[in-house]
Amino acid sequence: MNLITTMHRCLRLLLLSVPLAAGAAGADTRMPVVAGTDFWNVYGTPPSGRQAGDIVQVQKRTDAPKGATGWNVVYVSETAPGRLAYVSGEIYLPRGAGEAQRDVVLWNHETAGLADACAPSRRSTKEGGHDRVPALAALLARGYVVVMSDYPGLGLPGQAFYMAGQPNARASLDMLRVARNFPGARASNRYVMYGWSQGGQTTMWAESIAAAYAPEFTGLGAALVAPAVRIRELTLNSMTTAENAGYVISTLPGIQASFPELRYRDFLAPEAMEQLPVLANGCFDVWSAAAGVQDAYQPDAMVPGSPWWNAMTAVDDFAPKGTMPFAIYQGSADTTTPPNLTLRERTALCSAGNVVDYHLFEGLDHSAVVPEAAARLPGWFADRFAGKAAHNGCAVP
């Protein structure tokens, strides 16, 4: 980017800086508003003085559910201790007058692909006639602020930390700070969160670090929908069938983003290495392109003590903190995140002291369980905000 382009962009941002909504008395409610795909062209790292949750620029969405407004946001996140990065996300606000604070629902998204165009904030809120974010309209109708992160490196330039755990959880929790800073949101410090598939890992990690990383907020409950949590066991499971080779290949760049010393050739056989460029061609192209690859992996790719084994073990090295109740929704026919792996997370949560309400839906797969969870979660969240005790199924085998 040359100097003239940079100066032009800065001038345009100043001209487009407009009041979004009435904020607190005396508060500056002006933020840069950027139209079009140029919104996601944010390079470099935040300057000194920036803080996690600072809003850099916004973009009005035109597809918010009825009775609500929606905005894309670029914000600052501390994706690792002492390391700031720009991240994109979304915030949805229910319309309505009044000065009462609104509680916050934090959504953690599923696998989306690795190309920037796959970022949730670049997609419609409706996909295939359904809410991209489960129960989004119902949650807004109850008066909650709903926020979500694209996660670092997805949507904006940079390497995505797909299934890398902590960087995504930090970026997710920083969206609570965005809600607090967003003019007119009137966001409280109380929140619940939920996530599907990869979002299950983000949710579990967020609960694990929330008390230390975001102590100013009070988490009242969390929900997991077909959660993909422990990347090592998920990888070992996926490596057993050729049709899951694309999924395995797509997870490797996110792990390497956290462990740059890793080499793809130590994991992938030569034919599978040829699939890596496909990751940039589409959100899920590699899943079909790699399905026919036979013997995709090096024989010692995941033996105990190998570099990739050690890296995935490190990503998985976290434990629940027992800070909030959990609801879990799992399909019995799920082969992407099999029930036996989800039951391990249930056991870990119960052992940590979390109250857990586990629901198994017979015959449902990884996607079919989502509508079942979406129908139940608004009421479950409302009970958490109301202070009602959650059902504890930990004593049930």
Side-chain angles (χ1 to χ4, degrees):
M1 185 183 300
N2 61 38
L3 179 60
I4 295 176
T5 301
T6 302
M7 292 176 64
H8 175 74
R9 180 169 296 168
C10 291
L11 177 61
R12 185 169 60 81
L13 292 182
L14 287 172
L15 292 173
L16 290 175
S17 182
V18 299
L20 296 180
D28 182 3
T29 61
R30 303 177 69 87
M31 289 186 292
V33 179
V34 180
T37 56
D38 195 47
F39 173 80
W40 290 275
N41 292 333
V42 180
Y43 296 87
T45 57
S48 60
R50 282 288 198 178
Q51 296 182 346
D54 283 355
I55 300 171
V56 177
Q57 60 194 40
V58 300
Q59 180 184 80
K60 183 72 175 291
R61 296 187 65 101
T62 60
D63 59 353
K66 184 178 180 180
T69 58
W71 298 82
N72 292 331
V73 297
V74 172
Y75 65 102
V76 176
S77 177
E78 187 180 12
T79 57
R83 184 178 69 196
L84 297 180
Y86 295 119
V87 183
S88 53
E90 302 163 73
I91 180 169
Y92 295 87
L93 309 177
R95 290 197 184 102
E99 296 300 323
Q101 287 191 312
R102 296 158 164 161
D103 292 322
V104 181
V105 178
L106 177 59
W107 161 248
N108 295 313
H109 72 77
E110 74 287 3
T111 295
L114 299 186
D116 287 338
C118 306
S121 68
R122 291 178 178 243
R123 294 153 46 193
S124 172
T125 57
K126 288 287 186 180
E127 295 181 340
H130 301 286
D131 286 342
R132 168 171 51 84
V133 180
L136 175 61
L139 294 167
L140 288 164
R142 289 177 180 260
Y144 306 133
V145 174
V146 183
V147 296
M148 58 209 71
S149 174
D150 285 336
Y151 308 150
L154 186 59
L156 302 186
Q159 194 167 8
F161 287 81
Y162 176 49
M163 291 302 298
Q166 184 166 182
N168 302 323
R170 285 170 164 262
S172 177
L173 290 169
D174 283 333
M175 279 301 302
L176 299 174
R177 296 178 169 124
V178 169
R180 178 191 61 196
N181 294 337
F182 199 90
R186 304 198 306 275
S188 79
N189 66 351
R190 307 195 316 163
Y191 72 97
V192 296
M193 59 180 167
Y194 66 130
W196 171 35
S197 196
Q198 180 198 8
Q201 184 197 63
T202 305
T203 300
M204 290 276 288
W205 256 104
E207 188 271 346
S208 179
I209 67 173
Y213 183 66
E216 68 268 37
F217 300 101
T218 301
L220 298 178
L224 308 176
V225 184
V229 180
R230 309 289 169 172
I231 184 58
R232 191 185 75 190
E233 296 306 313
L234 287 165
T235 300
L236 291 171
N237 174 74
S238 296
M239 288 173 70
T240 62
T241 55
E243 60 265 27
N244 282 334
Y247 170 71
V248 174
I249 293 169
S250 69
T251 64
L252 301 184
I255 306 304
Q256 192 199 50
S258 287
F259 300 90
E261 70 277 6
L262 293 173
R263 301 181 299 180
Y264 293 128
R265 64 177 178 268
D266 291 338
F267 195 110
L268 300 176
E271 186 179 356
M273 288 282 290
E274 297 300 316
Q275 300 298 320
L276 287 170
V278 183
L279 292 172
N281 295 338
C283 301
F284 299 105
D285 289 14
V286 71
W287 292 55
S288 56
V293 176
Q294 300 297 319
D295 300 321
Y297 315 114
Q298 297 289 355
D300 58 351
M302 284 294 286
V303 299
S306 69
W308 285 94
W309 171 282
N310 290 341
M312 293 186 188
T313 300
V315 171
D316 292 340
D317 187 20
F318 75 100
K321 291 296 189 289
T323 60
M324 62 184 74
F326 272 72
I328 302 177
Y329 303 89
Q330 175 69 41
S332 68
D334 192 337
T335 58
T336 303
T337 58
N340 65 301
L341 297 186
T342 300
L343 285 172
R344 293 186 190 182
E345 300 311 320
R346 174 184 179 271
T347 298
L349 287 163
C350 290
S351 298
N354 298 83
V355 169
V356 181
D357 190 8
Y358 179 83
H359 302 267
L360 182 67
F361 296 87
E362 290 297 330
L364 298 188
D365 62 16
H366 194 62
S367 297
V369 72
V370 176
E372 298 294 338
R376 292 163 172 78
L377 281 171
W380 193 82
F381 289 152
D383 286 345
R384 304 291 76 76
F385 286 128
K388 296 182 180 179
H391 172 72
N392 190 359
C394 285
V396 178

